[in-house]
Amino acid sequence: DTEVTQTPKHLVMGMTNKKSLKCEQHMGHRAMYWYKQKAKKPPELMFVYSYEKLSINESVPSRFSPECPNSSLLNLHLHALQPEDSALYLCASSQPVSGFTDTQYFGPGTRLTVL
Amino acid sequence: QQPVQSPQAVILREGEDAVINCSSSKALYSVHWYRQKHGEAPVFLMILLKGGEQKGHDKISASFNEKKQQSSLYLTASQLSYSGTYFCGTGQGAQKLVFGQGTRLTINP
């Protein structure tokens, strides 16, 4: 089973709203990722959690707040977003091999629109 | 540092072959190939590790030349289902994958 699930599939929010994106995997992976993808662009890494600890933050604005409650779950809390934050948000998971980037499996994404 | 893919777009007829290239100005330790269809998640195709290996499954294969710091993806006798955007990703440290800008492949009947 190489499935990563994400909810919701679509989300529309105002600039003053607070919302959360959720991601779940049951492959026993101990590294989980958030990516942002704009139309016709590649996925851009936002955050990496390794063994439930934040290991990479690619200078993401504080209006995005990640959380990893356990080894299977990853959340992305959103607050006071801007219209330019509208994008496809992808979650991925992999095994955290030391010093090496292992295969990452992606979820279907959440299509976020900020009004 | 973002790898560079070429070409940016390819249009083929069903049954034709295609090559997509991925190059980096930094030393490569691993190259990951993904295909993404419109509105869907990127799907893993294969990973190549330094050592100049070549991999393949079905009619899709790839090579990795670490001396030239480049990888190539070969699609043979293309099928309609091969349409999509192909991304190469280079491993840059533990768990950090940086994607190229993508190559859009269109297969016409």
Side-chain angles (χ1 to χ4, degrees):
Chain A
D1 184 9
T2 57
E3 190 179 62
V4 176
T5 59
Q6 290 187 242
T7 55
K9 196 168 180 179
H10 300 277
L11 179 62
V12 180
M13 60 186 289
M15 289 192 283
T16 57
N17 292 158
K18 281 187 183 181
K19 296 285 184 184
S20 297
L21 309 184
K22 297 186 185 303
C23 173
E24 189 167 9
Q25 57 89 14
H26 293 287
M27 294 179 277
H29 290 164
R30 300 302 297 274
M32 295 186 76
Y33 310 76
W34 281 115
Y35 285 86
K36 174 181 177 179
Q37 187 177 27
K38 301 281 265 184
K40 298 187 179 181
K41 296 290 185 185
E44 285 181 31
L45 185 64
M46 299 174 72
F47 302 103
V48 180
Y49 273 84
S50 182
Y51 296 100
E52 295 90 70
K53 286 189 167 49
L54 185 65
S55 60
I56 296 178
N57 177 341
E58 291 287 286
S59 303
V60 179
S62 59
R63 57 186 184 267
F64 294 91
S65 175
E67 179 197 19
C68 190
N70 61 54
S71 59
S72 301
L73 292 173
L74 185 67
N75 298 321
L76 186 63
H77 302 297
L78 314 172
H79 174 54
L81 294 193
Q82 304 295 311
E84 60 264 27
D85 296 322
S86 298
L88 181 67
Y89 287 84
L90 293 162
C91 173
S93 72
S94 77
Q95 287 295 10
V97 179
S98 176
F100 169 69
T101 307
D102 202 1
T103 300
Q104 295 181 20
Y105 296 93
F106 284 83
T110 294
R111 176 77 57 190
L112 174 68
T113 302
V114 182
L115 300 176
Chain B
Q1 196 149 9
Q2 187 179 39
V4 177
Q5 287 184 234
S6 63
Q8 289 189 332
V10 184
I11 300 175
L12 298 176
R13 286 191 179 276
E14 202 172 3
E16 292 181 336
D17 302 340
V19 180
I20 300 171
N21 299 303
C22 174
S23 63
S24 174
S25 58
K26 290 180 70 169
L28 290 178
Y29 298 95
S30 64
V31 179
H32 308 235
W33 286 97
Y34 287 82
R35 176 173 61 216
Q36 186 176 30
K37 293 185 182 279
H38 182 68
E40 299 181 9
V43 172
F44 171 72
L45 294 175
M46 62 189 79
I47 180 174
L48 299 105
L49 307 178
K50 68 173 185 175
E53 65 172 348
Q54 188 149 352
K55 274 195 173 181
H57 65 88
D58 199 11
K59 292 178 182 152
I60 300 176
S61 62
S63 62
F64 180 19
N65 187 323
E66 62 183 282
K67 276 189 179 175
K68 293 185 178 178
Q69 294 171 189
Q70 66 185 37
S71 175
S72 296
L73 186 72
Y74 307 94
L75 299 108
T76 306
S78 57
Q79 305 166 16
L80 293 175
S81 62
Y82 288 1
S83 290
T85 300
Y86 289 77
F87 292 103
C88 70
T90 54
Q92 299 184 15
Q95 289 98 54
K96 184 166 178 175
L97 196 56
V98 179
F99 289 97
Q101 78 275 25
T103 296
R104 181 173 290 186
L105 178 65
T106 303
I107 312 289
N108 293 319

